[in-house]
Structure formats: structure tokens, C-alpha cells
Amino acid sequence: MSKSDLHKIQLFSRISQETLAILETALRRKSFSKGSAILWEKDPCRYIYFLISGEVEVYLLAPNGREQVLERMGAGEAFNLVPAFKHTLNNHANVRAATAVELFEMNKDDFTDLLERLPEFSLAVADYMARRLVKMVNLVEDLSLLSVKQRIASFLIKQADTPSGRWTQDEMARRLGTVRDMVGRVLRQFEDEGFIRFEHHQILLVDRETMQKIALGEK
Amino acid sequence: MSDLELPKINQKKCIACGACVEACPNQVLELVEEVLSFVRPQDCTYCALCEESCPQGAISCSYEIGWA
């Protein structure tokens, strides 16, 4: 197993070589092709995953079939940590490969065993989960308090500042808890008002101040 | 010719209804023997009207997002 691949994982970045050598024995490398399912909600939790390369989408399905994408995660992130701590042991969401994906998987029992044995690893997991919790709180805030127009403006600013791949209107809709037509209408409106510009396969934001005002509901 | 980036067609979802062919302002798309095809790809401006017109969600345009 390549040491450089281990260092790509955020959760391992500040862990000592000695601890890393122990963790390494519990990791197994796997690949998934674009679009394939990595895990299903409500299935028993068997593995924890650490993304080496590619992107995954974490999503929930409503009974009517509508998807809510909770998060799109890239290289270095970890997922399926929460159910490893729960007695019910079931996965909390669906995860699929948004691109070709390479990852490490760690058996759930090995994970809990290593947490007990390695305080350094436990602290790294706690720190990582705290950061993820802040992200989820922000998502709940966005979905519950902001209009679709505000959510789209906020999303565009975040993506322009820290790009995470390319997005279709449908993917944006699933991420933002709305439908594709609505995303299309708002983007056209932004374009008509000169806030954004379409340049072939790029959406370019023209004016940060205006976009921030829209995101805050001040415009 | 803008470049070779074209909307993605999911032929499994496409029902060959022709809505996108009608919607395209540059006659880029045609149904060739009931299969949706780019017949004038060089004229595609990536306006996404084909995507918006598709009732099946079979066409998608993806975007990078950045600052002008």
C-alpha cells in the first residue's frame, strides 16, 4: 500500500507513523466505476470508507423518489463513520460513485477496535466528525431558512471559491433540495440580470458583492 | 466552433420524442434512424435548451463554476 495514498486521507494527516502503520493493516483498497452504488441506506454497516481519489455523492431518497443530495465528497474525505457508533448498525444514507473512485475500506469491527486501542486515532476521528457536523448544520440551515434563489446564489459562491468538479442543473437541484426546472429558471434570471455569464461549459460569477447580497436575501 | 464539449445524451433514457431537435436553435441534433445524434456538433453553443426541453432528463450539460 502506497504511503502517499494514506497521506491523502485528511483523517490520517496528523497521525504518527507508528499509529499509521497499525491502521494500514486494517485497510483494503477498492475501486468503483462512475455511477455504481457503494452503499445503501438501511443496509447493515459493515465498512468505513476513506476516499483516495474521485468523488462520491451521499444522498437520501424520499418515498416519492425525489433525491436529496446531502454532500458531494472528494479525495481525502471519509464516510459512513456515524453508523459505526450506533447500536442499530445500519447505514444512514446512500452513497454512489459520482466519478471513478478509489478508496480504502476498513471493516467496522476493526474500526471500533482501533478506536479503543489508539487514542490518537480516536481524537482524529472526533475532530473529523466535528467538522462534518458543522457542515451538516450549515446544510440544514440553508434548506430550512433560505429561498431557492438564495440557496443557488450561496452554492455558486461556494463552488466558485472552492470548486468541486462540474455540475449539471439536475445535480445542483438534488444538492439544493429543489427541481431542475427551478435551477434553470433562477440561472437564466441571474444571467438576464447580468449577475452571471454562461461561457460554454462555464458559469462565471460577475460580481461577488451582488451574489452575496442575493445569498443573504438582501437583493 | 466553440470547442468539442457537447451535452451528454443518455441513450437508455432517450425516447426519441424529438423535443430537443425542435428546441435546438442551431439544428445541431437530429434523430437518425430513431437515434438522437449530433449532426452539426460544430454549431453547438452549449445553450442547454436541449436539456431543458427533454421530458426524460436524458440530456445533461455540466458546468464548471468560477469567477469572471
Side-chain angles (χ1 to χ4, degrees), chain A residues 32 86 111 118 207 212:
Chain A
F32 290 86
K86 297 253 300 178
F111 178 72
L118 305 169
D207 175 3
Q212 278 173 336

Side-chain angles (χ1 to χ4, degrees), chain A residues 70-85:
Chain A
L70 297 176
E71 205 170 2
R72 190 156 157 170
M73 305 175 88
E77 302 270 9
F79 58 94
N80 217 30
L81 299 166
V82 173
F85 291 94

Side-chain angles (χ1 to χ4, degrees), chain A residues 4-19:
Chain A
S4 61
D5 283 344
L6 283 177
H7 289 297
K8 286 177 190 166
I9 309 300
Q10 288 175 28
L11 218 154
F12 300 155
S13 62
R14 279 183 277 171
I15 284 182
S16 67
Q17 289 303 320
E18 295 93 316
T19 303

Side-chain angles (χ1 to χ4, degrees), chain A residues 30-38 55 96-102:
Chain A
K30 281 188 90 171
S31 301
F32 290 86
S33 57
K34 181 182 174 180
S36 55
I38 298 173
E55 289 183 1
R96 70 175 157 237
T99 64
V101 159
E102 265 202 281

Side-chain angles (χ1 to χ4, degrees), chain A residues 161 166-167 188 201 203 205, chain B residues 5 47 62-64 66-68:
Chain A
D161 284 343
R166 292 175 63 155
W167 293 78
R188 296 287 171 209
H201 59 272
I203 296 173
L205 282 63
Chain B
E5 191 81 33
C47 67
S62 62
Y63 297 92
E64 290 166 6
W67 294 103

